[in-house]
Structures are given as C-alpha cells and as structure tokens.
Amino acid sequence: MKSLPIPHSGPQSRAPRGQLFQFSENGNPRLVASFPKLLCSINPLGPLDSLRIECSSDEEKELVGVSLLSAGPYLIDNGAKWDSSGTYFTGEIYAESGIRLHIKPFFSAGFLALKSDEPSGLFIAAGIDGRARLLDHSDKELESFAGWGNEITTIHSTCDDGWNVLASARKDWTDADQITAYRVEEQHIVAYDQPVALPGPVLSLGSEQIPSDAEFAGPHDGAIAVVRNLKTGEYEAFRISLACNH
Amino acid sequence: MKHFEYPWLAIISVLGLLLLFPPAAGSSVRPRYGGTLQVELRETGLSLDPREWKAGAMESATNEKLAALVFDRLEVLDNYGRFQPQLATEWTHDATFKRWQFTLRAGVKFSDGSTLTPTDVVVALQPLLPKGQQITATGSSVVIQSATAMPDLLEELASGRFFVYRVQPDGTLLGTGPFFVAETKETSKSVDKSDSAPAEGSSAALVRSEGKSTHLHFRANEETWSGRPFLDAIDVTLGVPLLRQLFDLQLGKADLVELSPDLVRRAMQDNLRVWSSSPVVLYGLRFDDTQPAVADAQLREALSLSLDRQTMANVLLQKQAEPAAALLPQWLSGYAFLFTMETNIARAREIRAALPANAGGGAESLRLRVDAPGDLAKLLGERVAINARQAAILVQIVNRVIPRGTATTASSTDTTTGLHLFAWHYSTLSSRLELESFIGALRLGDSNESAVTSTDPEQLYAREKKLLEERRVLPLVALPEYVGVGQNVRDWMPARWGEWHLADVWLDLPEPAQAQAGNSNSAGSPANPPATAPSGAKP
C-alpha cells in the first residue's frame, strides 16, 4: 500500500468529500480523485514506488469544482457543482450541452428511469434543508419528503427492470443507520417493506458503477454504502442490491 | 405502473475495511457548519495555562476541557482505544522505551498564522513533563528521553495537561487548535464590560472573576490543520449555578450544561438529554499521619468498617455514583474489581470498644475537614460522621474554603484535623502516572519508597493494595460527570473519560426561510414519512 498526500491550501473541511473514478487517456488508464476544489490524477501503471499524484485547482479546467453524478442511467454527461465550502452541491446540474437542471442545493442525488431502456425522466435529490425531492426533467418538483437522511442513490432492479431509490435515515453520527429502498409508482415514491439495519452511520452511499468513459454498460444493480461501525470504529463498505422475492 | 415482485433490500457482501477515510468523513445526516454553542459552567475561575494546573484538582478538569478547544496534543486516544496522530504524525521508541521520537506534522500553524516548530513543542512540554523526562528538538521531530522506561508515554501525552502552546510576550498562550479565544467579558449586576479582549488569534491564559459571570467567546480557527470546526463559535459562561444551568437548558438558552448528581433524575424526567462519563471523580478520606488522634491502626480499621458506601452511592447520591473500594477506577486500572470494602458496624463497635476511652473519636471528637468544594462533599462528610457515630466514634465536621486553583487533596498543616474529605479528579490515561500523582499530592508515599515506574498491572495493584491496607486513605464513592445536552446538538461524541470533542459537534439549527420554501406536493415528515407499502418502512 502506498499513500499519496493530497496538496491543499486554505481552510480544510472537517467533513471532506470527493470521489474516485477512472478514465482512459490515449488508451492508458488514469485514476482520478475529484475533490470540491481539486482534481487529482494518478497513473496506476508502473511500480508502486513510482506512483505520483498530479493535482490542479484551476477552475477553468474541466471537472474542477464539479462532481460527476454516477447514480442512474446517466453516467458521464452530467455533473453537479460544489458549493464554495465543498460541503454540498449548489443545485446546478451540468450536462455537455450546458446547465440541465437548476434545483435547490443538495447533498446527494441520482437519476431515475421507469424502465432500464427508457431515458431518465426523473431526478431525486437530498436537499440541504433536510427534504428529499423528486423532480421531473423540467425541474418540476413532483414530491418532497422530510425525514430522509442526506445519503441517497439510485439503483437498478432486475426484478421489475426499474430504477429504485436507496436512502439513509435521518440520524447523526452517533446512531446506527439504516437504508430503505423506495420504488417509483406513478411519479410517487413508495417505500419497500423492510429497511436494512447497519452497524453505524452511513457516511457515503453511491452507485457501484463508478463513472468511466470506457464503460456504460454496467449492471447498475448494486450500491456501495460506506459505514462507520460504531462498535469497532472501523470503516466498512457494504454492497447493497435488491433481491427478488419470488 | 405494475410491479411483478417486491424486491428485498439485501447486503450482498461486505467489501472489507476501508481505512483510508479520515475520522471526520461525514454522516447519514451530514454535519452543518455554523451556529454558536452556548456552554454554561459552574466554575468561576479558569486557567488555560497548563503549567498552572494541579493534578487531581476539580477545576483542572474544566480547564482541560476548554484548553482542548485552543490547543492540540502530540497524539490523542480515540473512543476506541486507538492512539491517533495530532501534532505528531508518527512515533517510534527504542527497545527499552527510554527514548521516543515524534515526527511533527508539517505546516501546522498557530491561530495567529505563525508556524509551529519543534522548538515550540520542546518549550511547551518540558515544564509539563514529569521529573526525569527530557525533551529535545531534532530536525522535524522531538525526542523524549528518560533514564527509566516510559512504556506508557503515549497514554501520558494523550491526556491531562500535555498540550502544545506558545507563550506570547504579553503572557497569553497561542494554540493550534480548532478554536481561539476571541473575547472575554465580565458581567456583574449592573455593569457589562469587556475586561480583556485578547488580540485576534491569541488565547487568554487566565480568567478569574469571583462573584461575577464571565463569558468567553471562542471563535472557529479557519486555518487549523484538523479542519475548520463545524461551529462558528462557542460561548462559555462561567460561574452559573447548577440549578440555573438546568433551567437554561430547559429554556433553550444553553446547549451544554453541567449536571450535579441530584439534578440528573430531574433532568431525565424532563426528557432532557443527559450524558454521563465513566467515573472520573473520587471522593475519599485521608488520615493525617502527623495527628496522634488518628494514628491508631485499629481506630482507622473501625472507621473504615463503619462506612456505608452503598448508602452513600445509592441513597445520598441517588444511584448516580458508585461505591469506591479502589483508588483508581476499573476503566483506568483494570484491577479495581479485586478490591472490596467491607461495612461491618458490629465489628467496628467491637474494635472501638477495645480501644482506650481517650483514643481518638472517644472523649474528644475526631475533626473531619471537608477539603472538597460543593454541597455534595459536605453531605458526604455528614454521612461519614453518622456512620462513625454508629460505631461509637465521634466525628466533628469542619468546613473549610479552599482557595481556587488549589488541589483539594493538598496535604494540610492544620494542627488539629486528623481526617480530610477530598475529591480527586482523574486527569491522565496512564494508570501508573495517575497513581503516582495521587500518592504525591496526598503525600501518601514513604520517603524511602520509590515510585512505580512499571506499567505492569501486578505492580500497580500491589502498590495500591498496600496503600489501602495501611488505611492511610479510604475511598468512598466515585462519580461520573453528568452533562445536559441541548436537543439541537449533533454528533456529541465525548470520550468516556470526559473530553468533550466539541470540534466535531454541530448544531441542527432551523433552516433559513428560503430553504424551507418549496412547492412540495406531499410533504412527509419524520413522523409521517411518504406512503409505504405494504407496511411501514419508515426512513
């Protein structure tokens, strides 16, 4: 294992956020670590000792200050802009063609489609005001909910070939958390039966399919929850999927 | 839309432990920045200068809590018993534990923007380290050496007064911690004035105002290496009576207050959040070896057998304390459960009856001075007198006001008092150091007896057992700290030994009106989540 220090300047966040993904550059793989104000790149090839990290905070550069939204049928052509503190997203959702959505600030979000072969028509976001919102493609708010946690993502189900929502509960770091699955019915969100109990707070919940320019055809039927186990203090990663009840 | 099956949410696999994330990585409800935490404390005096603190003194615990806002340590112990780097990023020791090297974190700045150097660490820690431990700077590291082994040096440095600071020309102290003292203000009945307003980024070394309320305003240090704290500021009001603190918590005027044991049940009945630490305060009796009245070993045994610790803990302190049979608590020593303290009034009477009539506590009362502050100590003293009387030992209570900043355990030169009721606040995570501090402060050690330098529990146990068998000191009860926590306080994760960790705390404040506004069609709530099917899977 090798640790690569991440350069920084200015005030540091006490709850840093970011994401890891991979690109291919001229046929060579590149690991990318994206932070709110910093974009770092690592060439994973070669001996471990020669690994180097190159970072840029130039906001003119593509993807600096923007996080890819990996949850849902879209993978790469969209991104959300970080706020200046790097704590949440401003609500501006970018696509290659420019701003696609302009919604209330949020912590996490995902796209939804009613069927896997349909284009994404819905978007769900966990707002910083404590409300989760279901929106259509024109930013119209279809439904909103209080009591959800700040971690949500979308996941594909092979059971009904539809997209579903996973959401943490509204608890703080001192409590064990749970994840509830929801489905979309007639543009309404309906919870499935039983939430999954976890051994600590959910620190991150995201699509199993990390953004990549090389592969869109992943199954998208798994999500990864990073949990801090309150009994051990260790961080644990869980793969979560929907199992059909035949 | 028709569904074919109900999928079940399933955890397919645990992918493994991820240790790459820093401790503060977020939560299911992510921490929010902003707000001012209102803290009320009973202490009227405060010193943020670790050099002034007395081992075991009750007020040192308050000093340490607030100093932790301003200063950092080389390393700390987390809530899971793991040492975590702070100003030192790594450490090594030689095979004999006589030489430790701590590599300092690069780029750490004091709250005035100046850079922390190894020399700063040396100058700060040398006056605090126990006798025989020497610290020197070498390159980007500091080295601590001693002629004797220091196997518990990490425990020692992770607790108590071992903060790193820099003394400024005006005597105030600078820190690298998550907050700095922005202002201190005294409030009397008719006057509200700023008595001292330290320069930006500085830290008041000493605040003391008897009979007045003193406010300290701690502001977030934006440039701290550990990440800007979530709170914008912390307002600390000193000198607030405990009952007033409880009322202020109920009214939402305070977010964090101290609770005395007698107020804990009331707070719980009012559905207030109450947190308690492990037992951190020991109340006990100390015999003055210079007093002939208490020199008789049999008299000490009789007095010890008369003490009903169960009643003290369960009735007098309403089950908010533990009967203490050891000097160090179980969580610190690991062997406290091996000690027992018998209560046997009949046997105590027998022993007393066998003593001459003019022995101490017979024709003339034994004088018991309550050295510890507060009503609780007085109550315990009165209970000791009642218990002793049941064994035909007369005890007279003598109350005494102890000057602030004086350890209540300090050995007395009072020529007539044979018994002292003391309070000892545990202040280190090293059981060896704690025991030696205790013995030193109470002058319990023989002059020809060397201190225990080993951390071997058997040796520590033997040392403590000898003290208890000699009955030079009698433990009574051990108390936790109780804290009332406001409903809006989130991520309140203090250490069980009493550190508050306020840099990780955030306030769940009402959202601004603009954030609340929205065109929600069917708003759920925590009590009324969205429609569920087929049964209530509530988020």
Side-chain angles (χ1 to χ4, degrees):
Chain A
M1 190 167 77
K2 183 179 171 78
S3 299
L4 298 170
I6 298 163
H8 59 77
S9 62
Q12 298 303 298
S13 171
R14 206 167 184 86
R17 302 186 66 178
Q19 62 181 168
L20 281 169
F21 51 93
Q22 65 180 39
F23 272 113
S24 68
E25 192 175 75
N26 302 324
N28 296 318
R30 298 286 288 180
L31 287 176
V32 175
S34 169
F35 304 98
K37 295 176 183 174
L38 202 64
L39 194 71
C40 298
S41 171
I42 304 163
N43 179 0
L45 299 180
L48 199 63
D49 288 343
S50 66
L51 278 185
R52 288 179 56 197
I53 187 167
E54 296 168 2
C55 298
S56 172
S57 58
D58 183 357
E59 294 190 7
E60 297 301 314
K61 270 197 164 183
E62 189 182 16
L63 291 179
V64 172
V66 173
S67 176
L68 296 177
L69 293 174
S70 63
Y74 290 96
L75 276 181
I76 190 164
D77 287 344
N78 56 74
K81 187 179 178 186
W82 290 104
D83 85 307
S84 58
S85 70
T87 309
Y88 58 87
F89 298 104
T90 60
E92 293 175 28
I93 313 295
Y94 288 91
E96 278 185 345
S97 55
I99 293 177
R100 184 168 174 268
L101 293 172
H102 201 130
I103 63 174
K104 292 180 187 299
F106 63 91
F107 283 114
S108 59
F111 289 95
L112 287 161
L114 298 181
K115 291 287 182 185
S116 62
D117 57 354
E118 292 177 357
S120 173
L122 301 171
F123 185 76
I124 190 159
I128 65 168
D129 59 357
R131 301 191 74 82
R133 294 181 174 82
L134 181 67
L135 305 113
D136 68 7
H137 63 279
S138 61
D139 304 1
K140 182 185 173 189
E141 190 174 305
L142 303 174
E143 203 168 17
S144 78
F145 325 97
W148 288 27
N150 292 157
E151 300 300 329
I152 64 175
T153 191
T154 55
I155 185 174
H156 179 255
S157 167
T158 55
C159 305
D160 60 2
D161 197 30
W163 284 83
N164 297 265
V165 181
L166 301 181
S168 64
R170 190 168 181 78
K171 298 180 176 183
D172 77 4
W173 201 337
T174 60
D175 279 321
D177 208 340
Q178 58 189 32
I179 290 178
T180 305
Y182 300 87
R183 66 177 184 272
V184 182
E185 280 190 2
E186 305 296 343
Q187 296 192 333
H188 291 288
I189 294 285
V190 180
Y192 284 119
D193 195 13
Q194 292 292 330
V196 166
L198 294 162
V202 175
L203 308 179
S204 170
L205 179 63
S207 170
E208 177 187 31
Q209 185 70 26
I210 63 170
S212 162
D213 61 350
E215 182 60 65
F216 293 112
H220 305 131
D221 58 357
I224 302 296
V226 177
V227 175
R228 184 163 178 258
N229 189 318
L230 289 175
K231 286 186 180 169
T232 65
E234 303 287 355
Y235 295 89
E236 298 174 352
F238 294 85
R239 180 180 186 271
I240 297 175
S241 66
L242 292 162
C244 303
N245 181 23
H246 295 288
Chain B
M1 181 178 177
K2 182 175 172 56
H3 283 266
F4 308 108
E5 304 102 346
Y6 282 152
W8 292 84
L9 197 57
I11 296 177
I12 301 300
S13 61
V14 176
L15 295 182
L17 301 182
L18 295 182
L19 300 174
L20 302 175
F21 294 83
S27 75
S28 50
V29 175
R30 291 188 174 276
R32 314 284 172 83
Y33 286 91
T36 299
L37 189 79
Q38 301 291 338
V39 180
E40 293 184 351
L41 300 173
R42 167 183 39 182
E43 285 292 341
T44 53
L46 170 73
S47 168
L48 292 180
D49 188 341
R51 297 169 298 180
E52 295 188 346
W53 303 349
K54 301 288 186 293
M58 298 289 279
E59 56 268 31
S60 291
T62 304
N63 293 335
E64 187 182 327
K65 282 184 177 64
L66 297 185
L69 300 176
V70 178
F71 308 120
D72 290 315
R73 304 176 188 277
L74 289 182
E75 36 81 27
V76 293
L77 194 68
D78 71 11
N79 288 357
Y80 299 93
R82 301 169 302 197
F83 291 104
Q84 301 288 355
Q86 261 198 334
L87 296 181
T89 53
E90 55 186 64
W91 45 85
T92 56
H93 60 80
D94 64 6
T96 61
F97 293 95
K98 292 179 179 176
R99 184 183 191 276
W100 287 73
Q101 181 158 346
F102 295 84
T103 303
L104 298 183
R105 187 181 296 277
V108 174
K109 296 193 182 305
F110 285 101
S111 53
D112 68 346
S114 59
T115 302
L116 174 79
T117 66
T119 304
D120 289 318
V121 178
V122 169
V123 172
L125 291 186
Q126 187 60 74
L128 308 178
L129 288 170
K131 193 177 174 184
Q133 293 182 3
Q134 292 292 325
I135 181 169
T136 51
T138 167
S140 60
S141 305
V142 293
V143 172
I144 298 178
Q145 297 182 90
S146 170
T148 56
M150 303 175 287
D152 55 348
L153 185 63
L154 291 180
E155 286 91 340
E156 179 183 320
L157 296 177
S159 54
R161 56 186 180 164
F162 298 101
F163 290 106
V164 174
Y165 55 87
R166 180 192 285 167
V167 183
Q168 301 207 95
D170 64 358
T172 58
L173 306 187
L174 278 179
T176 57
F179 295 90
F180 62 89
V181 181
E183 186 182 17
T184 63
K185 190 162 68 172
E186 279 190 1
T187 307
S188 59
K189 284 183 181 176
S190 56
V191 181
D192 187 348
K193 62 178 183 178
S194 290
D195 278 3
S196 65
E200 186 89 354
S202 72
S203 158
L206 181 68
V207 178
R208 190 161 295 157
S209 64
E210 301 291 344
K212 296 177 181 176
S213 291
T214 302
H215 302 269
L216 286 96
H217 185 70
F218 293 85
R219 199 185 302 165
N221 180 0
E222 302 282 343
E223 302 295 335
T224 184
W225 63 270
S226 57
R228 196 253 199 218
F230 299 115
L231 298 166
D232 286 341
I234 299 175
D235 271 340
V236 179
T237 306
L238 301 176
V240 185
L242 290 169
L243 194 58
R244 169 71 185 276
Q245 291 187 34
L246 179 64
F247 291 151
D248 285 349
L249 182 68
Q250 288 171 323
L251 294 172
K253 291 181 177 177
D255 299 307
L256 222 55
V257 302
E258 296 171 302
L259 293 174
S260 57
D262 58 309
L263 292 177
V264 169
R265 185 168 293 179
R266 178 172 172 177
M268 287 177 166
Q269 286 170 346
D270 291 342
N271 289 322
L272 297 174
R273 289 170 68 188
V274 177
W275 173 83
S276 63
S277 70
S278 296
V280 291
V281 178
L282 173 72
Y283 282 88
L285 293 177
R286 175 177 66 84
F287 291 97
D288 188 339
D289 291 336
T290 64
Q291 296 294 313
V294 292
D296 192 297
Q298 287 189 303
L299 176 65
R300 294 186 184 197
E301 183 184 1
L303 183 64
S304 176
L305 288 168
S306 75
L307 298 173
D308 185 355
R309 295 173 177 80
Q310 293 288 345
T311 300
M312 290 180 193
N314 296 334
V315 180
L316 200 64
L317 294 168
Q318 301 175 29
K319 297 184 178 177
Q320 306 302 332
E322 294 177 5
L327 303 178
L328 299 186
Q330 174 67 22
W331 65 266
L332 183 57
S333 71
Y335 57 69
F337 71 96
L338 295 172
F339 293 111
T340 55
M341 284 289 171
E342 182 189 5
T343 301
N344 189 333
I345 295 292
R347 176 69 186 139
R349 278 180 168 274
E350 280 179 25
I351 296 171
R352 178 66 190 90
L355 291 171
N358 62 349
E364 192 174 341
S365 298
L366 290 178
R367 288 166 65 86
L368 166 61
R369 197 177 73 190
V370 179
D371 290 344
D375 295 337
L376 176 58
K378 290 177 189 166
L379 281 173
L380 285 170
E382 288 164 6
R383 177 58 60 171
V384 167
I386 291 169
N387 286 161
R389 195 175 303 131
Q390 290 170 330
I393 302 170
L394 297 179
V395 171
Q396 180 191 351
I397 308 291
V398 183
N399 290 322
R400 177 175 175 244
V401 177
I402 303 291
R404 288 281 164 201
T406 305
T408 56
T409 52
S411 185
S412 167
T413 54
D414 190 323
T415 56
T416 59
T417 305
L419 267 176
H420 297 262
L421 193 147
F422 67 87
W424 178 269
H425 199 294
Y426 303 114
S427 61
T428 169
L429 296 171
S430 160
S431 52
R432 179 197 59 82
L433 190 60
E434 189 70 54
L435 187 59
E436 292 308 321
S437 298
F438 184 87
I439 291 169
L442 274 74
R443 300 183 190 171
L444 298 174
D446 294 330
S447 56
N448 58 354
E449 189 178 24
S450 59
V452 172
T453 55
S454 166
T455 55
D456 179 6
E458 283 191 27
Q459 287 192 34
L460 292 173
Y461 169 72
R463 174 94 152 138
E464 188 172 340
K465 185 167 182 275
K466 182 168 180 285
L467 287 170
L468 292 170
E469 284 177 347
E470 289 171 348
R471 294 198 177 86
R472 300 169 73 182
V473 60
L474 301 176
L476 295 175
V477 290
L479 270 77
E481 284 181 353
Y482 292 98
V483 177
V485 183
Q487 299 299 329
N488 293 330
V489 175
R490 295 287 177 269
D491 285 349
W492 165 249
M493 294 178 291
R496 61 184 172 142
W497 52 90
E499 286 182 7
W500 281 359
H501 299 167
L502 292 185
D504 291 326
V505 162
W506 54 281
L507 287 171
D508 198 1
L509 300 170
E511 293 297 328
Q514 61 174 29
Q516 287 286 9
N519 56 342
S520 56
N521 295 339
S522 62
S525 71
N528 277 317
T532 59
S535 64
K538 295 176 180 169

